[in-house]
Amino acid sequence: VQLQASGGGLVQTGGSLRLSCTASGTIVSINAMGWYRQAPGKERELVARITPGGSRSHQDSVKGRFTISRDRAQNTVHLQMDSLKPEDTAVYYCYADVLSESEPQYKGYWGRGTQVTVSS
């Protein structure tokens, strides 16, 4: 199983970016999917999470600005980021809890990370 993320980049304060992450491989089922981020010198933190049924949760600092969504048929999760701030600058990682044909139970997988830089 692999997670491939895309959509990061450099944007000015107040701008928008859309991150996407697609899981591929011998996937039987995907449970929760989400986005984490890690800023320099800080620990990785959960930004947003979405369940198979579509229930969403967002970190307080991004509520009203970021929106997580999911395309179950495409094994893809998106993160729409609006009104970006310099403090959103970080490497963003996608995550998926996956049941694959080669594993007896669900296992967590991470994408390689995509850089988001917000200039002031």
Side-chain angles (χ1 to χ4, degrees), residues 21-24 27 30 33 70-78:
C21 177
T22 299
S24 62
I27 296 170
I30 300 178
M33 301 185 81
R70 178 172 177 171
D71 183 338
R72 292 188 65 183
Q74 299 296 322
N75 293 332
T76 298
V77 62
H78 305 285

Side-chain angles (χ1 to χ4, degrees), residues 3 21-23 30-36 46 48-52 55 68-72 74-78 94-98:
L3 270 61
C21 177
T22 299
I30 300 178
N31 196 359
M33 301 185 81
W35 289 94
Y36 288 70
L46 176 65
R49 181 178 181 272
I50 187 166
T51 68
S55 295
I68 191 170
S69 62
R70 178 172 177 171
D71 183 338
R72 292 188 65 183
Q74 299 296 322
N75 293 332
T76 298
V77 62
H78 305 285
C94 61
Y95 172 89
D97 198 21
V98 179

Side-chain angles (χ1 to χ4, degrees), residues 48-102:
R49 181 178 181 272
I50 187 166
T51 68
S55 295
R56 310 174 187 185
S57 59
H58 297 82
Q59 184 192 99
D60 285 347
S61 68
V62 307
K63 284 181 180 178
R65 301 188 298 120
F66 292 10
T67 303
I68 191 170
S69 62
R70 178 172 177 171
D71 183 338
R72 292 188 65 183
Q74 299 296 322
N75 293 332
T76 298
V77 62
H78 305 285
L79 185 68
Q80 178 65 41
M81 305 186 294
D82 299 317
S83 302
L84 281 159
K85 304 176 180 180
E87 50 263 44
D88 295 318
T89 295
V91 178
Y92 284 69
Y93 298 90
C94 61
Y95 172 89
D97 198 21
V98 179
L99 179 64
S100 69
E101 293 181 1
S102 60

